[in-house]
Amino acid sequence: MEIEILTHGKRKELLSKLAGFYATQLNIQKSNYKVVIVTDPTLKSQGSLGICARTGQREITVGLYSYLSFGRILYTLAHEMVHVKQMVRGHYRQEPKKRSEGVHHYWLGKRVNKTYIKRPWEIEAIGREDELVESLSQFLTKQKKKLGKKKA
Protein backbone atom coordinates (compact mmCIF):
# COMPACT_ATOMS: atom_id res chain seq x y z
CA MET A 1 0.00 0.00 0.00
CA GLU A 2 1.32 3.35 -0.97
CA ILE A 3 0.54 6.15 1.48
CA GLU A 4 0.76 9.80 0.46
CA ILE A 5 0.28 12.60 2.96
CA LEU A 6 -0.87 16.01 1.76
CA THR A 7 -0.76 18.47 4.62
CA HIS A 8 0.87 21.67 5.75
CA GLY A 9 2.76 21.59 9.00
CA LYS A 10 4.58 19.14 11.17
CA ARG A 11 2.07 16.30 11.15
CA LYS A 12 3.14 14.73 7.86
CA GLU A 13 5.53 12.18 9.39
CA LEU A 14 3.12 11.37 12.23
CA LEU A 15 0.24 10.71 9.84
CA SER A 16 2.44 8.56 7.60
CA LYS A 17 3.63 6.38 10.48
CA LEU A 18 0.16 6.06 12.00
CA ALA A 19 -1.43 5.13 8.67
CA GLY A 20 1.29 2.54 8.05
CA PHE A 21 0.85 1.06 11.53
CA TYR A 22 -2.94 0.86 11.19
CA ALA A 23 -2.66 -0.64 7.69
CA THR A 24 -0.43 -3.39 9.12
CA GLN A 25 -2.83 -4.02 12.02
CA LEU A 26 -5.72 -4.25 9.54
CA ASN A 27 -3.67 -6.55 7.28
CA ILE A 28 -3.98 -4.32 4.22
CA GLN A 29 -0.38 -3.11 4.03
CA LYS A 30 0.32 -5.29 0.96
CA SER A 31 -2.69 -4.01 -0.94
CA ASN A 32 -2.05 -2.38 -4.32
CA TYR A 33 -4.14 0.67 -3.37
CA LYS A 34 -2.81 4.14 -2.83
CA VAL A 35 -4.14 5.97 0.22
CA VAL A 36 -3.96 9.75 0.09
CA ILE A 37 -4.39 11.47 3.45
CA VAL A 38 -5.24 15.16 3.33
CA THR A 39 -5.97 17.65 6.07
CA ASP A 40 -8.85 20.06 5.58
CA PRO A 41 -9.67 23.06 7.78
CA THR A 42 -13.31 23.08 6.59
CA LEU A 43 -14.28 19.50 7.49
CA LYS A 44 -15.58 20.30 10.96
CA SER A 45 -17.89 22.98 9.57
CA GLN A 46 -19.26 20.29 7.25
CA GLY A 47 -20.08 18.12 10.28
CA SER A 48 -17.16 15.71 10.25
CA LEU A 49 -13.71 15.19 11.74
CA GLY A 50 -12.78 12.62 9.10
CA ILE A 51 -14.01 11.26 5.79
CA CYS A 52 -13.04 8.41 3.49
CA ALA A 53 -13.89 7.94 -0.17
CA ARG A 54 -12.66 6.02 -3.16
CA THR A 55 -11.20 8.60 -5.53
CA GLY A 56 -9.73 6.44 -8.27
CA GLN A 57 -9.48 2.91 -9.62
CA ARG A 58 -6.98 1.97 -6.90
CA GLU A 59 -7.00 5.14 -4.82
CA ILE A 60 -8.75 6.02 -1.57
CA THR A 61 -8.62 9.46 -0.02
CA VAL A 62 -8.90 10.08 3.70
CA GLY A 63 -9.68 13.61 4.82
CA LEU A 64 -8.93 14.73 8.38
CA TYR A 65 -9.93 17.97 10.05
CA SER A 66 -6.77 20.10 10.15
CA TYR A 67 -6.98 21.09 13.80
CA LEU A 68 -7.46 17.73 15.51
CA SER A 69 -5.70 17.25 18.83
CA PHE A 70 -3.06 14.52 18.98
CA GLY A 71 -5.48 12.15 20.73
CA ARG A 72 -8.27 12.80 18.23
CA ILE A 73 -5.83 12.15 15.36
CA LEU A 74 -5.14 8.67 16.75
CA TYR A 75 -8.82 7.74 16.92
CA THR A 76 -10.06 9.54 13.81
CA LEU A 77 -7.35 8.08 11.58
CA ALA A 78 -7.94 4.61 13.08
CA HIS A 79 -11.65 4.96 12.25
CA GLU A 80 -10.98 6.09 8.68
CA MET A 81 -8.38 3.37 8.10
CA VAL A 82 -11.05 0.78 8.97
CA HIS A 83 -13.09 2.29 6.14
CA VAL A 84 -10.02 2.00 3.89
CA LYS A 85 -9.85 -1.70 4.77
CA GLN A 86 -13.55 -2.13 4.04
CA MET A 87 -13.14 -0.52 0.60
CA VAL A 88 -9.93 -2.40 -0.24
CA ARG A 89 -11.62 -5.71 0.57
CA GLY A 90 -14.78 -4.78 -1.36
CA HIS A 91 -17.07 -4.91 1.68
CA TYR A 92 -18.11 -1.27 1.47
CA ARG A 93 -18.60 0.97 -1.52
CA GLN A 94 -20.31 4.20 -2.45
CA GLU A 95 -21.90 5.20 -5.75
CA PRO A 96 -23.06 8.69 -6.68
CA LYS A 97 -26.81 9.15 -6.81
CA LYS A 98 -27.99 9.65 -10.39
CA ARG A 99 -30.63 12.30 -9.86
CA SER A 100 -29.52 14.12 -6.72
CA GLU A 101 -26.60 15.07 -4.52
CA GLY A 102 -24.96 12.44 -2.33
CA VAL A 103 -24.16 8.77 -2.63
CA HIS A 104 -25.77 5.37 -2.27
CA HIS A 105 -24.01 3.11 0.24
CA TYR A 106 -23.45 -0.62 -0.31
CA TRP A 107 -22.35 -3.15 2.30
CA LEU A 108 -21.45 -6.66 1.16
CA GLY A 109 -23.12 -5.92 -2.18
CA LYS A 110 -26.46 -4.76 -0.75
CA ARG A 111 -27.68 -1.19 -0.72
CA VAL A 112 -28.04 0.17 2.81
CA ASN A 113 -30.10 3.19 3.82
CA LYS A 114 -29.75 3.52 7.61
CA THR A 115 -28.89 6.28 10.03
CA TYR A 116 -25.16 6.86 10.59
CA ILE A 117 -24.86 4.94 13.86
CA LYS A 118 -26.73 1.90 12.46
CA ARG A 119 -24.66 1.52 9.30
CA PRO A 120 -22.66 -1.73 9.45
CA TRP A 121 -19.46 -0.09 8.19
CA GLU A 122 -19.72 2.56 10.91
CA ILE A 123 -20.44 -0.04 13.59
CA GLU A 124 -17.23 -1.84 12.62
CA ALA A 125 -15.15 1.36 12.38
CA ILE A 126 -16.37 2.68 15.73
CA GLY A 127 -15.83 -0.74 17.30
CA ARG A 128 -12.25 -1.05 16.06
CA GLU A 129 -11.00 2.46 16.95
CA ASP A 130 -10.16 1.54 20.56
CA GLU A 131 -8.56 -1.75 19.50
CA LEU A 132 -6.26 -0.04 17.01
CA VAL A 133 -5.23 2.74 19.38
CA GLU A 134 -4.62 0.18 22.15
CA SER A 135 -2.42 -1.85 19.75
CA LEU A 136 -0.48 1.32 19.02
CA SER A 137 -0.09 2.04 22.74
CA GLN A 138 1.19 -1.49 23.41
CA PHE A 139 3.62 -1.25 20.48
CA LEU A 140 5.00 2.08 21.72
CA THR A 141 5.33 0.74 25.28
CA LYS A 142 7.36 -2.23 23.98
CA GLN A 143 9.55 0.10 21.92
CA LYS A 144 10.16 2.30 24.94
CA LYS A 145 11.18 -0.73 27.03
CA LYS A 146 13.55 -1.90 24.30
CA LEU A 147 15.18 1.54 24.15
CA GLY A 148 15.52 1.57 27.94
CA LYS A 149 17.28 -1.83 27.92
CA LYS A 150 19.71 -0.69 25.20
CA LYS A 151 20.72 2.36 27.24
CA ALA A 152 21.29 0.31 30.42
Side-chain angles (χ1 to χ4, degrees):
M1 172 172 287
E2 179 186 350
I3 298 171
E4 181 179 359
I5 310 296
L6 302 175
T7 186
H8 300 322
K10 301 174 184 175
R11 294 186 170 186
K12 191 171 191 168
E13 186 177 349
L14 170 67
L15 291 172
S16 179
K17 288 185 179 200
L18 285 174
F21 180 84
Y22 292 149
T24 299
Q25 293 298 302
L26 294 164
N27 200 25
I28 56 172
Q29 76 278 12
K30 293 181 181 174
S31 141
N32 60 355
Y33 275 76
K34 176 179 182 178
V35 175
V36 179
I37 299 173
V38 299
T39 56
D40 182 344
T42 67
L43 266 184
K44 192 173 184 180
S45 66
Q46 298 171 34
S48 183
L49 298 178
I51 58 171
C52 183
R54 190 168 176 176
T55 50
Q57 183 68 21
R58 293 268 176 216
E59 181 179 279
I60 298 169
T61 298
V62 170
L64 300 174
Y65 176 56
S66 298
Y67 303 108
L68 291 174
S69 67
F70 176 73
R72 273 309 334 145
I73 288 173
L74 299 179
Y75 285 91
T76 303
L77 185 58
H79 181 103
E80 299 308 328
M81 288 299 292
V82 173
H83 291 319
V84 170
K85 178 209 55 117
Q86 295 164 341
M87 290 178 185
V88 164
R89 298 228 173 109
H91 298 165
Y92 172 57
R93 68 183 169 89
Q94 304 166 342
E95 288 185 7
K97 291 182 178 178
K98 291 182 179 165
R99 295 190 178 116
S100 64
E101 296 272 326
V103 295
H104 291 294
H105 300 277
Y106 294 85
W107 180 251
L108 302 177
K110 295 181 182 176
R111 191 164 147 195
V112 176
N113 188 18
K114 295 184 177 189
T115 60
Y116 176 86
I117 202 71
K118 293 183 179 182
R119 296 171 178 171
W121 56 92
E122 295 300 344
I123 292 169
E124 180 184 11
I126 291 165
R128 300 223 37 208
E129 289 174 17
D130 288 339
E131 168 196 330
L132 289 167
V133 173
E134 179 61 27
S135 293
L136 176 65
S137 177
Q138 290 174 4
F139 172 77
L140 293 173
T141 299
K142 287 178 187 175
Q143 293 302 307
K144 188 176 179 181
K145 286 179 183 177
K146 283 182 186 177
L147 286 174
K149 287 180 181 178
K150 286 182 181 179
K151 288 182 181 179

